[in-house]
Amino acid sequence: QVQLVESGGGLVQPGGSLRLSCAASAGIFNIYNMGWYRQAPGKRRQLVATITRGGTTNYADFVKGRFTISRDNAKNTVFLQMNSLESEDTAVYYCNAAAGTVITSLSLYWGQGTQVTVSS
């Protein structure tokens, strides 16, 4: 059963923009943090941005000033607005959610990823 579904990836030229969306199933309750990770060919998966239930954000240095993470708690959805895209941003982007009834032992959910390719 797919619990997180990403969308919005695609091919864009350098300097362009994309907006990624990730919707969590209603079956996932008590979501605390949501975030975006990415993995490029030959590279390790790395954190892009996270956002808490209350809206506190955290960004990797390489996307600060270019990407913006946001969420709609009522819809269990997280977004990633990506501006000024560079070829180095090319990767598969994965959505993540941490949820559960016990905050000290949350379950992690992952989407299947959406491809972002930045090329001229």
Side-chain angles (χ1 to χ4, degrees), residues 19-20 22 30-37 47-60 67-73 76-81 94-99 106 108:
R19 182 175 176 84
L20 306 183
C22 173
N30 290 341
I31 297 177
Y32 289 88
N33 295 346
M34 302 187 78
W36 291 94
Y37 292 71
L47 182 148
V48 175
T50 61
I51 184 167
T52 70
R53 178 185 291 173
T56 300
T57 58
N58 179 60
Y59 296 94
F67 293 8
T68 302
I69 188 171
S70 61
R71 67 189 287 176
D72 184 336
N73 291 337
N76 274 3
T77 302
V78 63
F79 307 93
L80 185 68
Q81 178 67 46
Y94 297 90
C95 175
N96 164 266
L106 301 177
L108 299 180

Side-chain angles (χ1 to χ4, degrees), residues 80-97:
L80 185 68
Q81 178 67 46
M82 304 185 294
N83 299 324
S84 301
L85 284 163
E86 306 165 353
S87 60
E88 293 78 11
D89 296 316
T90 296
V92 177
Y93 284 70
Y94 297 90
C95 175
N96 164 266

Side-chain angles (χ1 to χ4, degrees), residues 8-11 18 20 39-41 89-93 113-118:
L11 175 64
L18 285 173
L20 306 183
Q39 187 167 23
D89 296 316
T90 296
V92 177
Y93 284 70
T114 184
Q115 177 71 49
V116 171
T117 302
V118 184

